[in-house]
Structure formats: structure tokens, C-alpha cells
Amino acid sequence: MNTVVIMGEGALADTVCKRLSGYNIIRRMDFSEEIPDGDIVLVIQEHDNSAFFHEAQHALLPRGIPWLGAYVALGEGIVGPLNRPGMAGCFQCAETRLSLAGSNRKEVEEMLLQLVSPDYVPDYSFEISPAAINYIAHIIASETTKVLRGDIANTEGHVHVIQLSDLCSSIHYVLPDGTCPVCGGLPDDSPEAAEISLTACLKLNDSYRCRSMGELQAVLVKDYWDERTGIFNDKQLDLLSPFAGVAINLPLGYYNEVTGGRSHSYTDSELAAILEGLERYCGVTPRGKRTIVYDSYSRLKADAIDPSNVGFHAKEQYEQPDFPFMPFDPDSEMEWVWGYSFLQKRPVLVPQLLAYYSLGAGGGFVYETSNGCALGGSLEEAILYGIFEVVERDSFLLTWYARLPVPRLDPSSAGDPELEMMIDRLQAVTGFELHLFNTTMENGIPSVWALGKGRKGHGVNLICAAGAHLDPVRAAKSAIHELSGMIPMAEKRFRERRQEARAMLDDSLLVQQMEDHSLLYSLPEAEERLQFLLDERRPVRTFAEEFRDVPANEDLTDDLKQLIQGFSRLKMDVVVVDQSSSETLQNGLRCVKVLIPGMLPMTFGHHLTRLTGLNRVLEVPMKLGYVNQGLTPQELNPYPHPFP
């Protein structure tokens, strides 16, 4: 006869004992007594008790005994997951996923209100009824029977969630957490793991991707989106912008990050939003390896990149009493991660605060955002798109700060019917007139600035976006998709914050957040700052006049190698940090951070501008023939940029 050990006390544990009376039942209240051998151990609590489950894991798994946990918390009964030796996706993974994804639940809000105000009376009680006890006990007994019979239990890698209010139940996948202290086992970061050897990566059809959306659709939603346990727990369709847009919520505990996808179908947009969300998930903190290098640049400089090449804030900024960052000190110790330098052809150390981004929270020597972060179906694809993003932002900022009179493009000259229809649709639906400009810099990677101008008296006056790609038409389409998704939000923001925008016009330091940049240029009075672009006396240029032929490589890696060689000729390095986590690797998705020291990094908040040490902004305008001599810092555009 099978032996079932039941750990715990209370009505729920008692009821489970009765339901499993056909087996040999051994009962224990806690782990103070020796645990007998059994075929399965049930660890049952009528409240959330992580310490009790940690005791179970420590006591049972070394002995090879599977165990199933169950508890009640915040109006829910939780059963599972089944914990087996060597299996990832343990009780701690489940608790982490449930906690993050459930942070927006009403029950959590009620609990927080009670913590803040002890006199607050919640709308409902978290007490467990006899009916709920019986139902949860039924599920526990059913799962136990499946395990003992050798059947696949529903709690294999999943949890049952039972609502105590109406006994509705659901089953949710527990994606193993690579950073889990119980079952994660992160490897130490190392130069060997940072080595990159590019391999063949054939393009899919005529795209610059190696995996189709159809292939990814089968796994992205199933593995990553779930309102109770997913990395992403909510989504919204954008029904107002000209194209299909989907916003996905990424709960990170202390805040929510919203990522979006835009395309011609909501299915593709949802998948794009999830992919962008995974990129953010991997980009905010190391999840695939454990950082072990903590030292100063002075002692590490033989193996490290020089932080002075990535751009600092100005001396005057650091001297502000409330500035969140400190000047770089080569003798100060900090965390470093290993990346790969394609110029030096060897692993190099990169400050962790550059390899992952700070979101303006301070605590380092510069503000770093998601510049150069990208996710792809292969390492090569991710690196390629990481380069595109660095180039897109650099070309936009260099055009802005140097006030370059870049050529205006004739979209009809591209000979792409889809591009023309996109522009027609955007203009018809929104009333914005679209202008495209060629902002390609000395690296030769096609870059496009898209500018939408609202009708007089329309409300929002100007909106800007950008794109970069080896195919200039794709760069233009990317910028248009980005711009179209911003219009409804910009119009709402301008209605609500018009007076704030007027104040920003007079005081640039009031531009503090990402959305403030586009808010400022919603004002008609700010248009004069973009006259270097909007001067209509310049002739409109065709795509053929402005761009070289698109490379005809069938292998995406060939494109990537050509780009890297181009930067090498400019004596610029391409440094790649692999940010991939176990969550992305299980589906063959790779995430990277691309750093190209010397390129202008995007920052949000005018007080966080980073230009010191980046002489390209002074030198490239002359190289491209826009001016006859190098610029001085005093000649640069002093106003906040208009990037979204």
C-alpha cells in the first residue's frame, strides 16, 4: 500500500486525511520530528508559510521524495506545483510568479490598504469556508492519486488556483525562474561564456529574421502570458491608432513596465509586444549568470572597456545637489560583467550599470536606458537588431544636437505600395501630415526620422519617431509604426497637461520624464526649434538618390559581419553582452545588449543628457559635409530632444 505523509495541521489537512483514507497515512505537524519514508509528502497550510515550504524542500528532496504543497492566501487556495528532485519550477518559482503577476489584484490592494491604515475595513473576508476546504482537499487528493498511479498530474509544472469567494478554479503554468534561490543554480559569469563565434543564420523568406511569427506564436503566449503566473499579466488592444497595436504589462514588483507591438494585425502585434517585453525583462538585471567581478577600473583596465568612451554627464550636472549620479572615479569599485569586443576579438569587462539599465534610479556614474537591447531568434539576429537600435538613436540625437539640415525624402519614390498605403492611412485616420528625413550617419546604416505634423488647431502639433535598418524602407515603416502608436497617447497627454508643456517651453529642466519630451513639442510654439528640418526650401530627395542598394545576402550573419567590419574601419568597437536568461533560452530566444562606444546614447529627462566625451557629435557634421569645420560644444542644440 502506498504511503502518504501529510505535514501540517488544521481543517484542510484533516479533510485531506479523510479523503486519502484508502492509503497508508502518516501525519506530522511540523519538521521537528523525523520524517518517515513515503511515496509522496503533502505539505498543507491554511496560510502562506514560505518558511515551512523551505523546510520541506530541504528535508525531502535530498531523500528523493516528491512533495506537493498547498496553502491559502489573499482569498485564494493554491495547490502545487509538484516538487521533484532535479526538476525546475519549484514552489519558490511559483510563489515568485504568483506574487508578481498578482500584484494588481484587488485582494493585494486591500491588504496594502490595511497595512497603511489599520482601521481600514476590507470589502470582503479572506476566511475559508467549509465548502472551500472540501473543494481544495478534493483537488489535493486527486493530484495525489495521479502521482501514486504514475499518471501525469495537473500540478506537474503548474498550480491550481481556487477562488474562495465562488470556488472557481484554474490551472496555471509555472515558468521556472532562472534566478530562483531554490532550483535556479545560476552559473558564474566568465570570459569563456562571453566568447562569441558567429555562425550561419539563414533569413526567413525576404525578412531579416530567422524564425517566423507563426513558429513563435505557439510558445510565446503559452509560456509567458498568464494573468496569475505569467511574466506578463495583462494586455490591451489599441483601437484608436491607425495600425493594430497591443500593449503588454510586465510586472516587476516595484513598478510595471508596459511594452508595445505595432503591425498590421493584432496577433503579430501581441507577439511583438511579448518579444519586446522579454527584452526588457532580461535588460533590467542579470538573470542568466551571476555577477562575480567587483573591482575598480584602475585595477581592471587591461581587460575592461574605458567608461569615458560611452559618454558622461557634464560637470555642471554632477554638481547639482539633487543629481542622482556621481562622477566616474577610476578607483571606485563597482560590478562588472563580461562582454565580447568584436574590435579586439576577445572578451572584455563592462560596467554592469552599462550592460543593464538603471531606469534613472541613480546609484552609478551615468543614466543608462535600453540603448542597444534587442531580442532575436538567434544570437546573430539579436546582435543585428541591437546595432540597429544603437544607430537609430544615435542618428536621431546627432541630427538634433548638431541641427543638421538632413534631406527630406519622397516616400512615393521608394516604389513600395505598402509604405504608401501606411502613410495614406496614418494621414487619413489621424489628420497628421507625415514627413520623412534621411538621418544616415557616417556608418552608412540607413536611418529615417519620421515627423508627424498636426493640422492647425488640431491639438498636438509635432510628433517624432525614428527607425534604422539595412533596408531604408523597413527603417521608414518602423518609424511610422512607432509614431502612429504615440498619437492617441500624445493627444490625451496634451489635453491634460497643456499648461505644464508651456512651462517646459520656458524651463527645459522641467522635462523630467520620457513622455515630457513629446509633450513639449506638442506645443505649436516649440515648432521653431525644428526649423532645421522643416525648411521647405530644400529639394525633396528620392530613396534611390539617398540610399545605396540593399544588400542581397541570404545569410543574416553576412549582413552582421559587414556592419561590424564597417564599424571597425571607423575604429569603433561593437561590444556585446549576452543578457539571455533561462526563460528565453528554453525557446531558443537570445537577448543582448550592444554597446558601440562613441555613439550617442538616448536619455530621457533633459537634466540627464549625456554628451561629455562623445566627440562624434562635434566631428561627424563636418565629415558629412553639413559644415566646413568641427562644431564646438557651445554650438550644440541646447533644448530637450523630441524623441518619444
Side-chain angles (χ1 to χ4, degrees), residues 510-521:
L510 294 176
V511 176
Q512 293 276 318
Q513 307 295 330
M514 178 188 292
E515 59 268 18
D516 293 345
H517 290 266
S518 61
L519 174 64
L520 170 59
Y521 293 94

Side-chain angles (χ1 to χ4, degrees), residues 187-197 289 292-293 337-340 346-349 379 578 590:
D188 288 346
D189 191 14
S190 68
E192 293 77 18
E195 286 277 0
I196 294 178
S197 179
K289 49 200 172 186
I292 60 172
V293 179
V337 298
W338 285 99
Y340 185 80
R346 68 180 181 107
V348 293
L349 285 165
L379 181 61
D578 191 345
R590 303 296 293 269

Side-chain angles (χ1 to χ4, degrees), residues 452-522:
K453 186 169 185 351
R455 296 188 301 266
K456 189 173 183 180
H458 180 275
V460 172
N461 186 45
L462 297 176
I463 297 183
C464 300
H469 200 283
L470 286 173
D471 179 355
V473 174
R474 293 177 193 268
K477 290 177 180 178
S478 174
I480 293 169
H481 274 306
E482 189 74 22
L483 188 146
S484 71
M486 295 163 49
I487 291 175
M489 294 183 291
E491 291 178 328
K492 179 177 183 293
R493 188 182 303 125
F494 191 55
R495 287 193 300 270
E496 297 172 347
R497 301 178 59 196
R498 185 189 299 258
Q499 292 308 312
E500 292 180 62
R502 294 189 186 283
M504 292 174 190
L505 190 68
D506 297 325
D507 185 354
S508 294
L509 290 178
L510 294 176
V511 176
Q512 293 276 318
Q513 307 295 330
M514 178 188 292
E515 59 268 18
D516 293 345
H517 290 266
S518 61
L519 174 64
L520 170 59
Y521 293 94
S522 298

Side-chain angles (χ1 to χ4, degrees), residues 29 33 45 65 82 103 190 193 208 242 250 255 271 362 407 463 472 484 489 512 547 549:
M29 298 299 107
E33 302 179 66
Q45 294 284 286
I65 303 175
L82 181 66
S103 58
S190 68
Y208 282 76
L250 168 63
Y255 71 100
L271 298 181
I463 297 183
S484 71
M489 294 183 291
Q512 293 276 318
F547 301 107
D549 290 338

Side-chain angles (χ1 to χ4, degrees), residues 344-416:
Q344 301 180 51
K345 296 182 174 55
R346 68 180 181 107
V348 293
L349 285 165
V350 178
Q352 182 169 295
L353 65 87
L354 293 176
Y356 299 85
Y357 50 99
S358 63
L359 298 166
F365 57 87
V366 290
Y367 166 49
E368 180 69 12
T369 65
S370 59
N371 294 306
C373 291
L375 185 127
S378 69
L379 181 61
E380 292 76 14
E381 182 184 306
I383 297 172
L384 182 69
Y385 280 86
I387 291 174
F388 288 162
E389 191 186 70
V390 172
V391 169
E392 167 198 308
R393 295 179 168 202
D394 169 84
S395 64
F396 186 99
L397 290 175
L398 205 151
T399 300
W400 172 257
Y401 286 119
R403 287 183 276 214
L404 301 180
V406 294
R408 187 193 301 251
L409 296 167
D410 174 13
S412 65
S413 69
D416 190 280

Side-chain angles (χ1 to χ4, degrees), residues 15-21 23 42 44 68 79 134-148:
T15 306
V16 171
C17 282
K18 293 176 183 177
R19 286 188 171 270
L20 293 173
S21 59
Y23 298 105
L42 305 180
I44 302 171
L68 179 68
V79 180
N134 274 293
Y135 186 42
I136 298 171
H138 163 73
I139 291 175
I140 296 171
S142 175
E143 289 297 294
T144 303
T145 299
K146 288 177 182 177
V147 173
L148 295 177

Side-chain angles (χ1 to χ4, degrees), residues 103-104 225 231-235 247-251 256-259:
S103 58
N104 61 349
W225 194 95
I231 288 180
F232 311 103
N233 67 342
D234 197 9
K235 64 180 176 182
I248 296 286
N249 187 61
L250 168 63
N256 290 325
E257 181 83 0
V258 178
T259 63

